[in-house]
Amino acid sequence: MMDESNEIILQKSKRLTSVVWNYFERVRKADVCYAVCIQCNKKLSGSSNSGTTHLRNHLMRCLKRTNHDMSQLLTPKRRKKENPVTVATINFDEGQAKEEYLRPKFDQEQRRDEAVLTRGSGGGGGRFSQERSQLDLARMIILHGYPLSMVDHVGFKVFARNLQPLFEAVPNSSIEDSCMEMYIREKERVQHTLNNLYGKVNLSVEMWSSRDNANYVCLASHYIDEEWRLQRNVLNFITLDPSHTEDMLSEVIIRCLMEWSLESKLFAVTFDGFSLNDEIFLRIKDHMMSQSSQIFELKSAAHVLNSLVQDCLEDMRDVIQRIRGSVRYVKSSQSTQARFNEISQLAGINSEKILVLDSLVTWNSTYSMLETVLEYKSAFCHLRDHDHSFDSSLTDEEWEWTRSVTGYLKLVFEIASVFSGNKCPTANVYFAEMCDIHIQLIEWCKSQDSFLSSLAAKMKAKFDEYWNKCSLVLAIAAILDPRFKMKLVEYYYSKIYGSTALDRIKEVSNGVKELLDAYSICSGLGGDDSSFSGGLGRASMDTRDRLKGFDKFLHETSQNQNTTTDLDKYLSEPIFPRSGGEFNILNYWKVHTPRYPVLSMMARDILGTPMSILAPDSTFNLGRPLVADSQSSLSPDIGQALFCAHDWLSTETEEIQPLSRQYALSL
C-alpha cells in the first residue's frame, strides 16, 4: 500500500465523467497519478493517458464477488459487439489448431464477467447455474438422441463457451451421470402414474437386435387413463446376455412386472413375432395368476402381416430375383432404357409408373416394384424376343404367380397402411381388417395352381395360430364399438365359418359375458347398480376385497333373477350410425361411463390392449428393429436409461413425438 503521508487525494475534475470513477479514488504520489479501488484498495494507473478500460475490467472482476449490478459499466458498443474467435488454419498442426480454435481473441475472464453481469442485470434468468445447464444439456441429448460423445466435440465446446463462458465443459462420464439422474427422476413419475392407475395395464414385448448380433427386449405398458386417453410408456429396454435362451425371457418379463408393481394389474401380454413362445407366456401366467384373475396372450397383428409377406417373398425368391435382374438390365444404360420405352409405346402401355429397384429391407418397396413390372409385362416379353442379351425373362406361369402374389401383397399393404395411419390405435380397429385377411386366405387356398395353393396353405396355417390366440379379444373389442356391436361379429363369422358360424358366435357371446361377470364381481356390483359412477377409488376397492367372497356369492345367487346387465342394455340399444364424420370411441365411453359403469371398466381395459405393437415408421420393415452400432458401446444401464427417458420426455413435449426407433438408430 502507498504511504498515506505522501499521497494526495485529488478532486475529481469535470473531465472524469466516466461512471467508473464512482468506484475509484484518484490520488497522486510525487508526479504519478493512481486510481485506488474503493472495494479492495488495489492501486492501478490513474493517468489521464491510461484511459478507463483497465479500470472497468478490474471492477467487473472485483465487484462480481459482491453481486453488484455492473450493467452500467458496459458501454453500448461493447454490449452489442460480438468479438470474433480465431479459426484454425490448415497450416497449424492438429494440437495447435484445436488450441487456437478454442481460444477466443478476447480475454476469457473478461467475457465471463460480462456474462455474469449481463445475466444478473437483464431481469431474464437470474444468475448462471452450471448444474442447471448440465441437466439441460442431458435433457437435450436424451430428447433428440444426440450421442453422448458430443460433449467432447470441438465445435460444441466452442459454441457453448461463446454462448455462456461460465459453462464448464463436462466429460462424457459426467453427462452420463446427468442422464441417469434425469432417468431416475422420470422413472419415479411414471411409477407414480402406474401406481394410481384406475384400470389395468397391458404389456407389449418386442425383440430388438443390432448389427453386431446383440439382442434386446423392449417392454412397454399400454393403458387408457382416467381421462380416457390411450397411453403408452416404455418400461424397460434390456440388453440380453449372450448366453440368454428363450426360456429365460419369461424371467426377464416377470422381473420387469415386479419392478413396476404390475403383478395385480396385468390384463394382457402382446408378443411380437420373434418372442412368442407358449412356454414363455405360461410361466408368466403361472406367476401372475395369484395376483390377476385372467391374463390374455396376444400376438401383434402387424408382425403377423409381415410374417405372411415373408412367406410370399421366400417362396417367390427366384422369380423376384429375376424380376430385379430385368429392372436392373432396363436401367443399365440410357440406350437400353430408350429401347424399352419405345417397345412400351408400341405395346400400347401408357403407365406413368417408373421402374425402380426395391429395397431389401422394406417389403412395400418390393410390392411396388412387382406392381409396376406387371404393368410393363408385355414390354418385357417383347424385349426378350428382340434383345438376346436380356436373359431375365419369366415364363407365362411365373408371370401368373407374380400377378397372384402381388394381389396378396396388395391386400396386406392396404391393411398395414390402415394400422400405421391410425393415430389412436384402440383395439376395436383390428377385427374387421383381420377378418378380411382370414376370408382371403380361405379363397387363396382354393387355387387350382399347386404352387399358389401350397403358399396359401402355409400362410393360413400361420394365420390360424394367430387367430386362435387373438380372435376372442378382437371380437370383444368390435362388440364394444357402438357402431358394430354383435352385428359385425355375426356378419364376418358367417363368411368365415359358414355352417358352424352360430356356434362360433355363441362362443364369443359367452366369452364377453364371462368377462363382464368377472368385472362385476371385482367391482362388487351385480346387475344394474346405478350408484356406480365410474370413479371408484383405490381405497374403496381395497375395502371391498375383504368381502370379495360375499360379492361372488351374491352375484351367483342373483343369476336366476331377472336382472339387466350393462351388456344387455348396451346391446339392446340401436347401433350408433357410422356416417357423420370421424368417430372417437374413447370419447363415447367417457360420456357413457355413468350409464354402463361395469361395462365401461371392461371397455377401458379391452380397448387399451395393444393388438399391434409395430411402430408406424417400421410397418413395412423385414426383420427386427435395429439399434445403432454405437449403442453396443454403451453400458446396458446407460443404454436403457437413454432409451426409456427419451420415451418419457417425448410424451411431455408437443413438438417432439415419441420416436424410439429413430432415437435408438441415432445412438
Side-chain angles (χ1 to χ4, degrees), residues 203 247-267 269 278-295:
L203 185 73
D247 60 339
M248 294 173 60
L249 183 58
S250 57
E251 299 178 13
V252 172
I253 297 171
I254 291 171
R255 284 199 303 269
C256 165
L257 292 169
M258 296 177 64
E259 175 187 352
W260 290 93
S261 303
L262 296 178
E263 300 99 315
S264 62
K265 293 189 172 191
L266 188 62
F267 181 77
V269 181
D278 290 338
E279 292 298 322
I280 292 175
F281 178 73
L282 288 176
R283 292 190 187 97
I284 297 171
K285 190 173 183 178
D286 289 343
H287 180 83
M288 299 300 166
M289 283 307 291
S290 60
Q291 302 286 340
S292 183
S293 59
Q294 184 172 12
I295 305 173

Side-chain angles (χ1 to χ4, degrees), residues 1-7 27 29 34-44:
M1 294 295 297
M2 296 182 298
D3 185 353
E4 295 183 2
S5 60
N6 294 329
E7 67 181 30
V27 300
K29 182 177 181 181
Y34 298 96
V36 181
C37 177
I38 295 175
Q39 297 296 317
C40 64
N41 292 326
K42 184 172 182 178
K43 181 176 63 175
L44 296 94

Side-chain angles (χ1 to χ4, degrees), residues 113-156:
D113 294 335
E114 289 186 11
V116 171
L117 297 173
T118 303
R119 287 284 301 273
S121 62
R127 298 182 64 79
F128 169 76
S129 168
Q130 172 73 18
E131 181 181 4
R132 177 67 262 172
S133 297
Q134 188 166 324
L135 285 175
D136 286 342
L137 175 58
R139 188 174 190 274
M140 179 184 73
I141 288 174
I142 292 171
L143 265 178
H144 301 285
Y146 298 142
L148 291 170
S149 59
M150 70 172 291
V151 298
D152 297 324
H153 295 172
V154 173
F156 172 76

